[in-house]
Amino acid sequence: MTVAIAVQHLNHYFGHDRLRKQVLFDINLEINVGEIVIMTGPSGSGKTTLLTLVGGLRSAQSGNLQVLGQELSGASAKQLTQARRHHGYIFQAHNLHTSLTALQNVRMGLELHSGLSSAEMQTRAAEILNQVGLSDRLHYYPDDLSGGQKQRVAIARALVSHPQLVLADEPTAALDSKSGRDVVNLMQALAKEQGCTILLVTHDNRILDIADRIIHLEDGSLKQNTLGAQL
């Protein structure tokens, strides 16, 4: 199978000199194209740090980190920006712009992609909002949507550009049980339909069954690598 993410001997540090603290220790990980991998672990274990490194939100300092065939260890700011164009992000707090409608928020996910006319961006944004069940909420502002609806908009924004990789950081943390299940089911269905890879960080044991594989991070180290089917 083709590898989407290849991590070898990755270490990461925060701070400098005497305040320097190691937060990731010799991480080795491979994730295949089309795979859904869930990363679990206690707060402060380094999950979000690893996710942001994979996502090109910060530069890897030590070791090798290849994402979609591009080496991100030591990458320049310009190279990281280019890499991020192939990713979709879903965050716990959904990070929607409150001054924009659902449609406008989702359309933002296409702004960096050249070759699309304004009409095409509008159509694609409306289509994916329809796919996540929000066809009647296109022109609603985030403050007029429920928590589950906001997270559906965030999923639509992340997937509208058909990214090769989707990174999700605690996407169900602020949702009730039903809304959380609906959200991950949507992510799973749309990602499989588009053939993209998902790396999802969560504390929510209720959604582990969507994973092809579960990895566990503790004290900055990978402790286990479990097949989702074994849970």
Side-chain angles (χ1 to χ4, degrees):
M1 295 185 72
T2 306
V3 175
I5 300 168
V7 185
Q8 294 179 314
H9 305 298
L10 181 70
N11 297 283
H12 197 73
Y13 307 82
F14 287 141
H16 300 281
D17 301 324
R18 287 192 302 171
L19 297 178
R20 193 174 192 236
K21 179 185 178 183
Q22 189 166 359
V23 292
L24 293 177
F25 298 82
D26 197 35
I27 302 293
N28 292 280
L29 174 66
E30 280 194 357
I31 298 176
N32 292 322
V33 169
E35 198 174 12
I36 298 177
V37 174
I38 284 181
M39 180 161 49
T40 64
S43 296
S45 60
K47 300 186 304 300
T48 296
T49 299
L50 181 55
L51 197 74
T52 57
L53 287 168
V54 170
L57 295 174
R58 51 166 57 103
S59 183
Q61 302 162 337
S62 167
N64 296 102
L65 173 59
Q66 278 202 4
V67 180
L68 304 176
Q70 182 175 346
E71 179 61 58
L72 298 187
S73 184
S76 66
K78 183 178 180 180
Q79 289 170 324
L80 292 176
T81 299
Q82 290 291 336
R84 289 196 296 269
R85 293 186 177 183
H86 303 290
H87 307 163
Y89 296 88
I90 304 167
F91 298 102
Q92 175 181 341
H94 52 70
N95 290 1
L96 299 180
H97 291 268
T98 57
S99 61
L100 301 178
T101 65
L103 186 66
Q104 290 167 331
N105 267 286
V106 173
R107 180 177 158 156
M108 282 190 66
L110 295 169
E111 294 289 347
L112 290 177
H113 298 267
S114 58
L116 288 176
S117 68
S118 179
E120 286 172 320
M121 287 192 285
Q122 197 85 346
T123 298
R124 279 178 61 168
E127 284 175 350
I128 198 161
L129 280 167
N130 182 52
Q131 284 182 275
V132 301
L134 292 177
S135 58
D136 59 342
R137 297 289 190 275
L138 300 186
H139 305 295
Y140 280 55
Y141 289 92
D143 288 347
D144 299 319
L145 299 173
S146 69
Q149 289 170 336
K150 290 176 188 175
Q151 203 61 304
R152 286 173 183 232
V153 175
I155 290 172
R157 181 181 59 189
L159 292 171
V160 69
S161 64
H162 293 192
Q164 294 170 263
L165 174 64
V166 171
L167 303 167
D169 194 359
E170 299 281 4
T172 66
L175 303 178
D176 61 45
S177 180
K178 183 181 184 307
S179 296
R181 168 53 61 180
D182 289 345
V183 158
V184 295
N185 284 348
L186 276 168
M187 282 178 60
Q188 183 184 34
L190 288 172
K192 288 295 185 186
E193 183 182 302
Q194 295 184 7
C196 69
T197 306
I198 294 180
L199 177 59
L200 188 156
V201 166
T202 190
H203 284 106
D204 190 347
N205 291 332
R206 300 168 300 183
I207 67 169
L208 298 183
D209 58 298
I210 73 158
D212 296 313
R213 187 155 49 104
I214 296 165
I215 59 177
H216 185 76
L217 198 64
E218 194 165 330
D219 298 325
S221 299
L222 280 178
K223 299 297 185 186
Q224 65 190 49
N225 206 334
T226 310
L227 289 176
Q230 292 178 331
L231 291 181

Short mmCIF file of all heavy atoms in Angstrom, two decimals, residues 72-97:
data_model
loop_
_atom_site.label_atom_id
_atom_site.label_comp_id
_atom_site.label_asym_id
_atom_site.label_seq_id
_atom_site.Cartn_x
_atom_site.Cartn_y
_atom_site.Cartn_z
N LEU A 72 9.07 17.11 5.61
CA LEU A 72 8.76 18.34 6.34
C LEU A 72 9.78 18.67 7.42
O LEU A 72 9.75 19.75 8.00
CB LEU A 72 7.37 18.23 6.99
CG LEU A 72 6.18 18.05 6.04
CD1 LEU A 72 4.87 18.13 6.80
CD2 LEU A 72 6.21 19.08 4.92
N SER A 73 10.69 17.75 7.69
CA SER A 73 11.72 18.03 8.68
C SER A 73 12.67 19.08 8.11
O SER A 73 13.27 18.89 7.05
CB SER A 73 12.49 16.75 9.01
OG SER A 73 13.43 16.99 10.04
N GLY A 74 12.76 20.20 8.81
CA GLY A 74 13.61 21.29 8.35
C GLY A 74 13.03 22.08 7.19
O GLY A 74 13.73 22.88 6.57
N ALA A 75 11.74 21.88 6.90
CA ALA A 75 11.10 22.59 5.77
C ALA A 75 11.00 24.09 6.05
O ALA A 75 10.85 24.51 7.20
CB ALA A 75 9.72 22.01 5.51
N SER A 76 11.08 24.87 4.99
CA SER A 76 10.93 26.32 5.11
C SER A 76 9.46 26.68 5.30
O SER A 76 8.57 25.85 5.07
CB SER A 76 11.45 27.02 3.85
OG SER A 76 10.62 26.69 2.74
N ALA A 77 9.20 27.91 5.70
CA ALA A 77 7.82 28.37 5.88
C ALA A 77 7.04 28.25 4.57
O ALA A 77 5.86 27.86 4.57
CB ALA A 77 7.81 29.82 6.37
N LYS A 78 7.70 28.55 3.45
CA LYS A 78 7.04 28.45 2.14
C LYS A 78 6.68 27.00 1.81
O LYS A 78 5.59 26.71 1.32
CB LYS A 78 7.94 29.03 1.06
CG LYS A 78 7.30 29.04 -0.33
CD LYS A 78 8.22 29.67 -1.36
CE LYS A 78 7.56 29.68 -2.74
NZ LYS A 78 8.45 30.30 -3.77
N GLN A 79 7.60 26.08 2.11
CA GLN A 79 7.35 24.66 1.86
C GLN A 79 6.21 24.14 2.73
O GLN A 79 5.38 23.34 2.28
CB GLN A 79 8.62 23.85 2.09
CG GLN A 79 9.69 24.06 1.04
CD GLN A 79 11.03 23.44 1.43
OE1 GLN A 79 11.40 23.44 2.61
NE2 GLN A 79 11.75 22.92 0.45
N LEU A 80 6.15 24.58 3.97
CA LEU A 80 5.07 24.16 4.87
C LEU A 80 3.73 24.68 4.37
O LEU A 80 2.71 23.98 4.43
CB LEU A 80 5.34 24.66 6.30
CG LEU A 80 6.52 24.01 7.03
CD1 LEU A 80 6.72 24.67 8.39
CD2 LEU A 80 6.32 22.51 7.20
N THR A 81 3.73 25.92 3.87
CA THR A 81 2.49 26.49 3.33
C THR A 81 2.01 25.67 2.14
O THR A 81 0.81 25.38 2.01
CB THR A 81 2.71 27.96 2.91
OG1 THR A 81 3.09 28.71 4.06
CG2 THR A 81 1.45 28.56 2.32
N GLN A 82 2.93 25.30 1.26
CA GLN A 82 2.57 24.48 0.10
C GLN A 82 2.01 23.13 0.54
O GLN A 82 1.03 22.63 -0.02
CB GLN A 82 3.81 24.26 -0.78
CG GLN A 82 4.29 25.50 -1.51
CD GLN A 82 3.32 25.96 -2.61
OE1 GLN A 82 2.54 25.18 -3.13
NE2 GLN A 82 3.36 27.25 -2.93
N ALA A 83 2.63 22.53 1.55
CA ALA A 83 2.18 21.22 2.04
C ALA A 83 0.77 21.30 2.61
O ALA A 83 -0.05 20.39 2.41
CB ALA A 83 3.15 20.71 3.11
N ARG A 84 0.48 22.39 3.31
CA ARG A 84 -0.82 22.53 3.96
C ARG A 84 -1.98 22.61 2.96
O ARG A 84 -3.13 22.39 3.33
CB ARG A 84 -0.83 23.76 4.88
CG ARG A 84 0.02 23.60 6.12
CD ARG A 84 -0.30 24.65 7.17
NE ARG A 84 -0.01 26.00 6.74
CZ ARG A 84 1.15 26.63 6.95
NH1 ARG A 84 2.14 26.01 7.54
NH2 ARG A 84 1.32 27.87 6.55
N ARG A 85 -1.68 22.94 1.73
CA ARG A 85 -2.75 23.05 0.72
C ARG A 85 -3.38 21.69 0.39
O ARG A 85 -4.44 21.64 -0.22
CB ARG A 85 -2.20 23.70 -0.55
CG ARG A 85 -1.82 25.16 -0.32
CD ARG A 85 -1.43 25.86 -1.59
NE ARG A 85 -1.14 27.26 -1.33
CZ ARG A 85 -0.81 28.15 -2.26
NH1 ARG A 85 -0.75 27.77 -3.52
NH2 ARG A 85 -0.57 29.41 -1.95
N HIS A 86 -2.71 20.62 0.79
CA HIS A 86 -3.24 19.27 0.52
C HIS A 86 -3.94 18.69 1.75
O HIS A 86 -4.33 17.54 1.74
CB HIS A 86 -2.10 18.34 0.09
CG HIS A 86 -1.35 18.83 -1.11
ND1 HIS A 86 -1.92 18.85 -2.37
CD2 HIS A 86 -0.11 19.36 -1.24
CE1 HIS A 86 -1.04 19.34 -3.23
NE2 HIS A 86 0.06 19.66 -2.58
N HIS A 87 -4.07 19.51 2.81
CA HIS A 87 -4.63 19.02 4.07
C HIS A 87 -5.97 19.69 4.36
O HIS A 87 -6.23 20.82 3.94
CB HIS A 87 -3.70 19.34 5.24
CG HIS A 87 -2.29 18.86 5.05
ND1 HIS A 87 -1.24 19.33 5.80
CD2 HIS A 87 -1.77 17.96 4.18
CE1 HIS A 87 -0.13 18.72 5.41
NE2 HIS A 87 -0.42 17.90 4.43
N GLY A 88 -6.80 18.99 5.11
CA GLY A 88 -8.01 19.58 5.67
C GLY A 88 -7.92 19.49 7.19
O GLY A 88 -7.44 18.48 7.72
N TYR A 89 -8.37 20.52 7.90
CA TYR A 89 -8.25 20.55 9.36
C TYR A 89 -9.63 20.67 10.00
O TYR A 89 -10.47 21.46 9.56
CB TYR A 89 -7.41 21.75 9.81
CG TYR A 89 -5.97 21.68 9.35
CD1 TYR A 89 -5.60 22.20 8.12
CD2 TYR A 89 -5.01 21.07 10.14
CE1 TYR A 89 -4.29 22.12 7.67
CE2 TYR A 89 -3.70 20.99 9.70
CZ TYR A 89 -3.34 21.52 8.48
OH TYR A 89 -2.05 21.44 8.05
N ILE A 90 -9.83 19.88 11.05
CA ILE A 90 -11.05 19.97 11.85
C ILE A 90 -10.63 20.08 13.31
O ILE A 90 -9.96 19.18 13.83
CB ILE A 90 -11.95 18.73 11.66
CG1 ILE A 90 -12.29 18.53 10.18
CG2 ILE A 90 -13.23 18.87 12.48
CD1 ILE A 90 -12.91 17.18 9.88
N PHE A 91 -11.00 21.19 13.95
CA PHE A 91 -10.57 21.44 15.31
C PHE A 91 -11.74 21.33 16.29
O PHE A 91 -12.90 21.43 15.90
CB PHE A 91 -9.95 22.84 15.42
CG PHE A 91 -8.73 23.01 14.56
CD1 PHE A 91 -8.81 23.69 13.36
CD2 PHE A 91 -7.50 22.51 14.95
CE1 PHE A 91 -7.69 23.85 12.54
CE2 PHE A 91 -6.38 22.66 14.15
CZ PHE A 91 -6.47 23.34 12.95
N GLN A 92 -11.39 21.12 17.55
CA GLN A 92 -12.40 20.98 18.60
C GLN A 92 -13.33 22.19 18.64
O GLN A 92 -14.54 22.05 18.76
CB GLN A 92 -11.69 20.83 19.96
CG GLN A 92 -12.63 20.79 21.15
CD GLN A 92 -11.87 20.66 22.46
OE1 GLN A 92 -10.72 20.25 22.48
NE2 GLN A 92 -12.51 21.00 23.55
N ALA A 93 -12.75 23.37 18.52
CA ALA A 93 -13.54 24.60 18.64
C ALA A 93 -14.10 25.06 17.30
O ALA A 93 -14.58 26.18 17.17
CB ALA A 93 -12.69 25.71 19.27
N HIS A 94 -14.01 24.24 16.30
CA HIS A 94 -14.49 24.43 14.92
C HIS A 94 -13.91 25.64 14.19
O HIS A 94 -13.87 25.68 12.97
CB HIS A 94 -16.03 24.42 14.82
CG HIS A 94 -16.76 25.34 15.76
ND1 HIS A 94 -16.73 26.69 15.63
CD2 HIS A 94 -17.53 25.07 16.85
CE1 HIS A 94 -17.46 27.24 16.60
NE2 HIS A 94 -17.95 26.28 17.34
N ASN A 95 -13.50 26.67 14.92
CA ASN A 95 -12.79 27.81 14.32
C ASN A 95 -13.51 28.43 13.13
O ASN A 95 -12.90 28.74 12.11
CB ASN A 95 -11.37 27.39 13.88
CG ASN A 95 -10.46 27.14 15.06
OD1 ASN A 95 -10.87 27.25 16.21
ND2 ASN A 95 -9.23 26.77 14.79
N LEU A 96 -14.81 28.61 13.25
CA LEU A 96 -15.57 29.27 12.19
C LEU A 96 -15.50 30.78 12.38
O LEU A 96 -15.40 31.27 13.51
CB LEU A 96 -17.04 28.82 12.22
CG LEU A 96 -17.30 27.33 12.01
CD1 LEU A 96 -18.80 27.05 12.08
CD2 LEU A 96 -16.72 26.83 10.69
N HIS A 97 -15.57 31.51 11.27
CA HIS A 97 -15.62 32.97 11.35
C HIS A 97 -17.07 33.38 11.62
O HIS A 97 -17.96 33.12 10.81
CB HIS A 97 -15.13 33.60 10.04
CG HIS A 97 -13.67 33.42 9.81
ND1 HIS A 97 -12.74 34.34 10.22
CD2 HIS A 97 -12.97 32.40 9.25
CE1 HIS A 97 -11.53 33.91 9.90
NE2 HIS A 97 -11.64 32.73 9.32
#
